[in-house]
Amino acid sequence: MAATIKDIARLAGVSPATVSRVLANKTAFYGPTTAEKVQAAALKLGYRKNTAAAELVTQHSNVIAVVVNSVKTNFSSQIITGIQDTAAAHGLHVIIVYAGITDPEAQRKALLTVIERPVMGILLLSLNLTPENLQLLQGAQTPYCFLSIAFDDGDLPSIASDDWQVGYQATQTLLKAGHRQIGLAAVDSDSHTGRFRLAGYESALRDAGVTPQAEWVQPGVYSYEAGREAMAAYGVTSGLTGVVAGSDMAAIGVLNQARNLGLAVPTDLSIVSIDGTEMCELVQPQLTSVSQNFYDMGAAGVRQLLAPDQHPQQVTPIQVVERETVRTLPVK
Amino acid sequence: MAATIKDIARLAGVSPATVSRVLANKTAFYGPTTAEKVQAAALKLGYRKNTAAAELVTQHSNVIAVVVNSVKTNFSSQIITGIQDTAAAHGLHVIIVYAGITDPEAQRKALLTVIERPVMGILLLSLNLTPENLQLLQGAQTPYCFLSIAFDDGDLPSIASDDWQVGYQATQTLLKAGHRQIGLAAVDSDSHTGRFRLAGYESALRDAGVTPQAEWVQPGVYSYEAGREAMAAYGVTSGLTGVVAGSDMAAIGVLNQARNLGLAVPTDLSIVSIDGTEMCELVQPQLTSVSQNFYDMGAAGVRQLLAPDQHPQQVTPIQVVERETVRTLPVK
DNA sequence: TAATTTTAAGCAAACGTTTGTTTAATTGGT
DNA sequence: ACCAATTAAACAAACGTTTGCTTAAAATTA
């Protein structure tokens, strides 16, 4: 079995208290020779601190937990990198647990995994909690912050892009290139995110003097399949010259499905994607996107955990990056 | 502050011991009315068990930790799903921590994060540990198992594909289609994995009466960039009609770079990829691949943790799945 | 009714740390 | 040489659980 502080104490001929202090590099309460003896004994026994025991007495932990929904849109790695870097800079550790995207029971289990042990804070990655699970989360006396998702309830701390702007700017990118018939694909219609993107999309159209058509929007869950299905629903006769897709994966779905339908991108159909992950540059042609600042989202998340009172809801900037999937239409 | 078992005991007018027993659903030592009182009190106080404290006394944990290298090849999600499902079936929780791919210090920190708290076992995802860090891992008295990576040292428990077979079958897929000049791209030359894939590749060539050429292999780290660089190094004048790429990402790299060079895939160049993640079907043309069984790898990993003694080294099956990137050459 | 068994609940120790307080030993000043 | 001040180390309590053991009460048996 693993060596404890007491084993070291015995071997070095000192008290556990002293061992604890030298191992924690406390500045006082022991002399240089004792310190050496203790270090030597610790090394010899291959001592590993039992952090759980330490956290129990100090009543404070330095791990932050990230709960991720396992949806197949892969911006999470960028957010996690942002979290990781910022956490490391503050001397914090990061653990990640996966929750099912919809299954409330899987969500609950994931939540309990982190709530039932001492964590310093909880970051929830594009996770839509059921009311019961939200209550569970709030019942734990732990700071938390939602990432890449926003709520109508303004009190829930969250960091995300301005979804209305996302929808607006994506649409505007196509409008500026002369498009008038523009679809919105694979954006879900019942989340805050989806509703605001839709609203932004419609505003952009109206501001350009185009009246939105119901059949131009094909809702979906941001997945590759949702993208394909949306494009399949449009078909070749929709008259659409451009579509904005709810995610990079969805955009690839419409891209591939368009190809299946015999539509060349961007010659016959322009696409602007939402997210701007590295996927955009892997695919041919490369996807023009309104890119979110995922790294910063993660970084802001851990800062929010460290100073929980200020700005409960934060917005990270977006930017449209032009690549190869929008064609400028000739003026007629 | 959070409610403890003692708070419940006080509220329900019983002892902490009794509370502990009813909350753990122990079968005896208390009566039905007491049980109800305790349940009610627990609910009222919004009690959350402090698992760390419990683990401290029971000296046993039910969380398994996964250490992931953050390389940009994304099969990890499949492995993790396999781990997650199998763990859940055994009532185990899963936490994930990211380690840098090469930075030994980041590796060490990640390792310490999991070693310094009570975990039931450790799974290491395609992680190449430095000798010091390996020693650190072995010093912890915790079962562990490497996944998707094998070692020359036969004592290290690991679950992976047979890399020699991977190299052999990938190459053979091209040979069967009539190819004779076949490259190997973005496989690293100093890991066990890379060396065995290379050996399999060369054996396949020799078995078909082709003598391998040094300039046909362009080593690399399995990344998208490595794939691009390899293809760039080949150029248009290499005479290669096919290349096997070290990973899906690498394959996409050679695919895109080939296109940049004016080479059509598969007309001018055939590609077979190694891994077979969903990426293969996202890209156009879809990548023919030798696919690994990542889900099973994860599942086998947790089983290995639960019964550590048997088969220290296991192999999961592979299969080649034909898609659109290998062209059958006309017989001359 | 007395003796015995069963059931219900409490007591107290233990897990591996941290840290405030106490005690002992050393140093320094006069 | 004595007292104060400093330094070094040990003591002991605490964190929130679990669980073996003990005790008290109730139920069963003869």
Side-chain angles (χ1 to χ4, degrees), chain A residues 152-239:
Chain A
D152 298 327
D153 176 351
D155 287 343
L156 290 175
S158 77
I159 297 165
S161 302
D162 179 334
D163 282 305
W164 190 90
Q165 277 293 335
V166 168
Y168 192 95
Q169 293 193 22
T171 311
Q172 207 182 34
T173 303
L174 288 163
L175 288 163
K176 274 187 194 157
H179 296 263
R180 295 286 144 191
Q181 282 80 38
I182 299 174
L184 180 67
V187 161
D188 72 337
S189 42
D190 30 51
S191 78
H192 178 281
T193 297
R195 283 201 312 277
F196 275 69
R197 287 184 183 178
L198 174 62
Y201 156 84
E202 287 177 339
S203 294
L205 289 180
R206 289 214 177 82
D207 287 359
V210 178
T211 50
Q213 311 289 319
E215 63 274 20
W216 287 356
V217 2
Q218 290 289 343
V221 293
Y222 303 101
S223 67
Y224 176 73
E225 285 73 24
R228 288 187 67 121
E229 284 161 16
M231 190 63 221
Y234 291 141
V236 286
T237 59
S238 65

Side-chain angles (χ1 to χ4, degrees), chain A residues 122-135:
Chain A
I122 303 176
L123 256 21
L124 301 107
L125 231 53
S126 64
L127 204 62
N128 241 317
L129 255 33
T130 62
E132 300 80 41
N133 285 335
L134 179 57
Q135 212 178 341

Side-chain angles (χ1 to χ4, degrees), chain B residues 51-71:
Chain B
T51 302
E55 287 173 345
L56 185 56
V57 21
T58 59
Q59 295 284 77
H60 139 299
S61 156
N62 65 156
V63 353
I64 103 168
V66 184
V67 185
V68 188
N69 89 19
S70 43
V71 73

Side-chain angles (χ1 to χ4, degrees), chain A residues 20-35:
Chain A
S20 171
R21 289 192 242 254
V22 352
L23 258 27
N25 280 314
K26 285 282 190 306
T27 43
F29 295 113
Y30 59 87
T33 52
T34 342

Side-chain angles (χ1 to χ4, degrees), chain B residues 5 17 20-21 26 47 50 57:
Chain B
I5 230 177
S20 172
R21 289 193 244 255
K26 284 282 191 304
Y47 172 72
N50 183 332
V57 21

